[in-house]
């Protein structure tokens, strides 16, 4: 920490209303960096220089008896002498003013040190997280160590999310639309203000936001709020819809967002930035009238999210009607859900459900008997998947929202 004109100006501004003496603030070399007497700035204070040397050496160096030393105090930050403060013509009876100025200056400099460290750590964390969601380096061990060093716990499941801002050309008003004319500076200012407020919506300690003002976008690694993937995706979908309204009404910005995949381990995050941009582009191409998309299954997910409730209910009733009336409905639906989560891997599904492969096959047979659709052919598998997405969406409260 070196004293400069900016830091000393802040200290001087704080001290001047409190002290009835002219104030000089010297750096480590004894030069007056700032003063309540402007003509003193830039002068070399011999007394201060010797005083600082004495403090630095623990008082071992012989120092000539300069009168000014009695009106000085050293400034120490983290056990390091960084300068001194002088109160001109200080009376011995007012020595408490010297202690006060020393305490205030050191507290302000300590606070600045802490802010600098936080800024540096935040920047370093963002650099490491950028690597995490980009293309992994060959040495993943180093990446893992860096993540651990910054307190990033990959054991916590997170869902990726991508937000892209753009200019809003027309603002919808009760009395008619109004054409907006934002120049580049106004647009970038609004985008920066909006991105800076995102931590207020993603407040979990292990939520991470990688905002890029130059590109007007943000990648968010959001700790899962809900247990089921579809339910958690719906939660983020609703949140992004709220953010879309805030961006439009308060910042005159258009917001597009896509909810990505759930990540459970290091490899899940790989190339997520690229994948999220691709999914957002696909969503805007397939559904140009929409702003927020479910990206895990860009076609199925968004078709369900933007379909009328009655249509979804009909699909569930048609496919799962008899199954939902069965005493085994919960077990059979859990089996299907896990099977899809495991990417149709029977071994992984068996392990996750703590059941034998034969038992799993018996459940598949039961599902086929109750629904008429088999997991062993493409048409049946797609139908069961679509209907299960509809069922989960409706169970989570989807279809009752005004924007669906």
């Amino acid at each position: 920490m070196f004293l400069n004109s900016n830091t000393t100006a802040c200290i001087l501004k704080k001290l001047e209303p409190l002290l009835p003496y002219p104030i000089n603030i010297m750096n480590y070399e004894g030069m007056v960096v700032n003063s309540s007497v402007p003509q003193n700035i830039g002068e070399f204070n011999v007394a201060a220089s010797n005083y600082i040397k004495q403090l630095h050496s623990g008082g071992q160096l012989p120092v000539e008896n300069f009168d000014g030393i009695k009106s000085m105090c050293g400034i120490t930050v983290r056990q390091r002498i960084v300068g001194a403060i002088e109160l001109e013509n200080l009376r011995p009876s007012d020595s408490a003013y010297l202690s006060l100025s020393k305490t205030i200056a050191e507290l302000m400099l300590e606070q600045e040190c802490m802010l600098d460290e936080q800024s540096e750590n935040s920047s370093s964390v963002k650099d490491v997280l950028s690597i995490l969601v980009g293309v992994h380096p060959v040495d993943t061990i180093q990446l893992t160590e860096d993540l651990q060093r910054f307190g990033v716990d990959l054991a916590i499941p997170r869902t990726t999310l991508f937000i892209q801002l753009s200019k809003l050309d027309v603002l919808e008003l009760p009395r008619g639309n109004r054409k907006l004319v934002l120049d580049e500076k106004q647009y970038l200012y609004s985008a920066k203000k909006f991105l800076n407020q995102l931590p207020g919506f993603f407040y979990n300690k292990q939520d991470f936001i990688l905002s890029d003002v130059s590109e007007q976008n943000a990648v968010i690694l959001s700790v899962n709020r809900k247990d089921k993937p579809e339910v958690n995706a719906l939660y983020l979908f609703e949140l992004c819809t709220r953010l879309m309204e805030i961006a439009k009404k308060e910042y005159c910005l258009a917001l597009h967002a896509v909810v990505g995949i759930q990540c459970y381990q290091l490899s899940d995050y790989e190339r997520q930035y690229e994948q999220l941009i691709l999914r957002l582009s696909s969503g805007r191409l397939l559904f140009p009238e929409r702003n927020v998309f479910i990206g895990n299954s860009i076609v199925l997910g968004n078709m369900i999210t933007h379909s009328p409730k009655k249509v979804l209910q009909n699909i569930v009733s048609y496919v799962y009607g008899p199954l939902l009336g069965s005493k085994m409905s919960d077990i059979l639906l859990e089996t299907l859900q896990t099977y899809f989560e495991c990417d149709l891997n029977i071994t992984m599904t068996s392990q996750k459900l703590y059941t034998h492969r034969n038992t799993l096959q018996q459940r598949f047979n039961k599902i086929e008997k109750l629904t008429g659709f088999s997991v062993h052919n493409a048409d049946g598998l797609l139908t069961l998947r679509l209907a299960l997405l509809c069922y989960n969406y409706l169970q989570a409260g989807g279809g009752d929202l005004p924007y669906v």
Side-chain angles (χ1 to χ4, degrees):
M1 166 63 69
F2 294 96
L3 293 180
N4 54 46
S5 57
N6 291 329
T7 56
T8 53
C10 294
I11 294 172
L12 192 64
K13 185 177 180 181
K14 178 69 73 173
L15 293 179
E16 280 184 321
L18 304 174
L19 307 178
Y21 294 97
I23 306 163
N24 295 318
I25 303 177
M26 284 74 64
N27 63 14
Y28 181 83
E29 297 174 345
M31 180 176 290
V32 179
V33 183
N34 230 314
S35 174
S36 53
V37 182
Q39 56 265 34
N40 290 348
I41 298 174
E43 288 187 356
F44 180 73
N45 190 316
V46 178
S49 176
N50 283 277
Y51 179 61
I52 292 169
K53 288 178 182 177
Q54 183 185 35
L55 291 175
H56 184 66
S57 63
Q60 299 301 313
L61 287 179
V63 179
E64 295 179 19
N65 186 21
F66 290 97
D67 293 334
I69 287 182
K70 294 180 181 179
S71 62
M72 291 183 191
C73 62
I75 305 174
T76 304
V77 180
R78 301 189 177 184
Q79 301 181 338
R80 180 181 179 186
I81 306 297
V82 297
I85 291 178
E86 178 188 30
L87 303 183
E88 290 186 6
N89 305 316
L90 178 69
R91 293 193 298 266
S93 59
D94 287 343
S95 60
Y97 283 122
L98 208 55
S99 298
L100 177 64
S101 60
K102 173 182 174 66
T103 301
I104 291 175
E106 290 180 348
L107 285 173
M108 292 181 69
L109 291 171
E110 176 63 28
Q111 184 180 33
E112 185 172 337
C113 283
M114 291 176 64
L115 291 173
D116 288 344
E117 286 178 352
Q118 290 174 3
S119 177
E120 183 179 348
N121 288 339
S122 175
S123 177
S124 299
V125 170
K126 285 186 176 182
D127 289 341
V128 174
L129 291 174
S130 296
I131 297 173
L132 178 67
V133 298
V135 179
H136 285 174
V138 177
D139 185 10
T140 55
I141 295 176
Q142 182 61 52
L143 176 58
T144 304
E145 290 177 353
D146 289 340
L147 290 167
Q148 291 174 345
R149 180 160 53 90
F150 290 112
V152 181
D153 186 359
L154 291 184
I156 299 175
R158 296 181 184 83
T159 298
T160 59
L161 181 66
F162 182 72
I163 290 174
Q164 179 69 62
L165 302 173
S166 58
K167 288 184 180 180
L168 187 66
D169 295 325
V170 178
L171 185 64
E172 296 176 4
L173 299 172
R175 297 182 179 179
N177 296 341
R178 191 182 84 186
K179 187 174 179 62
L180 295 174
V181 182
L182 289 179
D183 63 25
E184 196 64 23
K185 284 187 177 180
Q186 291 173 317
Y187 165 57
L188 292 176
Y189 176 77
S190 293
K192 182 178 180 179
K193 292 281 286 184
F194 178 84
L195 293 173
N196 285 342
Q197 76 155 359
L198 285 178
F201 296 91
F202 300 92
Y203 46 81
N204 189 293
K205 184 179 179 181
Q206 286 287 327
D207 286 337
F208 297 107
I209 302 171
L210 298 170
S211 58
D212 187 343
V213 177
S214 63
E215 295 292 334
Q216 300 90 57
N217 65 29
V219 176
I220 300 163
L221 310 181
S222 171
V223 173
N224 292 350
R225 268 59 169 184
K226 310 295 181 181
D227 293 332
K228 292 184 178 179
E230 280 82 10
V231 179
N232 190 69
L234 177 62
Y235 166 82
L236 291 175
F237 179 90
E238 294 174 4
L239 177 56
C240 287
T241 303
R242 285 169 49 205
L243 290 174
M244 179 190 72
E245 293 298 323
I246 292 171
K248 180 170 66 174
K249 293 180 180 178
E250 298 184 18
Y251 297 90
C252 295
L253 296 171
L255 179 147
H256 287 86
V258 60
V259 180
I261 66 170
Q262 290 198 355
C263 301
Y264 300 94
Q265 56 190 350
L266 188 71
S267 58
D268 295 336
Y269 293 93
E270 187 172 358
R271 302 176 69 89
Q272 271 304 292
Y273 180 73
E274 177 185 325
Q275 291 299 316
L276 287 167
I277 292 177
L278 179 62
R279 286 170 177 160
L280 181 59
S281 300
S282 300
R284 296 183 69 173
L285 178 65
L286 293 168
F287 305 94
E289 74 284 1
R290 300 291 179 177
N291 287 65
V292 184
F293 308 97
I294 304 292
N296 191 20
S297 178
I298 198 69
V299 176
L300 291 180
N302 286 288
M303 187 184 77
I304 292 164
T305 305
H306 302 306
S307 294
K309 182 179 179 180
K310 186 63 178 176
V311 172
L312 304 181
Q313 291 173 332
N314 289 341
I315 293 173
V316 173
S317 177
Y318 173 72
V319 178
Y320 288 126
L323 186 148
L324 292 174
S326 168
K327 294 180 180 179
M328 294 183 63
S329 60
D330 290 343
I331 294 175
L332 297 178
L333 288 175
E334 181 189 20
T335 300
L336 273 177
Q337 181 70 45
T338 307
Y339 185 52
F340 291 128
E341 287 177 7
C342 293
D343 288 330
L344 314 184
N345 187 308
I346 292 179
T347 301
M348 287 178 61
T349 305
S350 300
Q351 292 173 350
K352 197 168 183 179
L353 292 172
Y354 301 102
T355 187
H356 194 274
R357 288 171 63 97
N358 292 342
T359 303
L360 191 62
Q361 189 57 55
Q362 290 171 8
R363 292 181 186 179
F364 287 153
N365 293 338
K366 185 70 173 177
I367 291 169
E368 183 175 2
K369 183 178 179 181
L370 290 171
T371 66
F373 298 99
S374 172
V375 299
H376 301 301
N377 63 64
D379 185 68
L381 194 66
L382 180 59
T383 303
L384 291 169
R385 174 60 174 158
L386 175 63
L388 186 60
L389 286 171
C390 294
Y391 175 78
N392 287 334
Y393 182 70
L394 291 170
Q395 288 295 105
D400 294 325
L401 303 169
Y403 49 79
V404 173

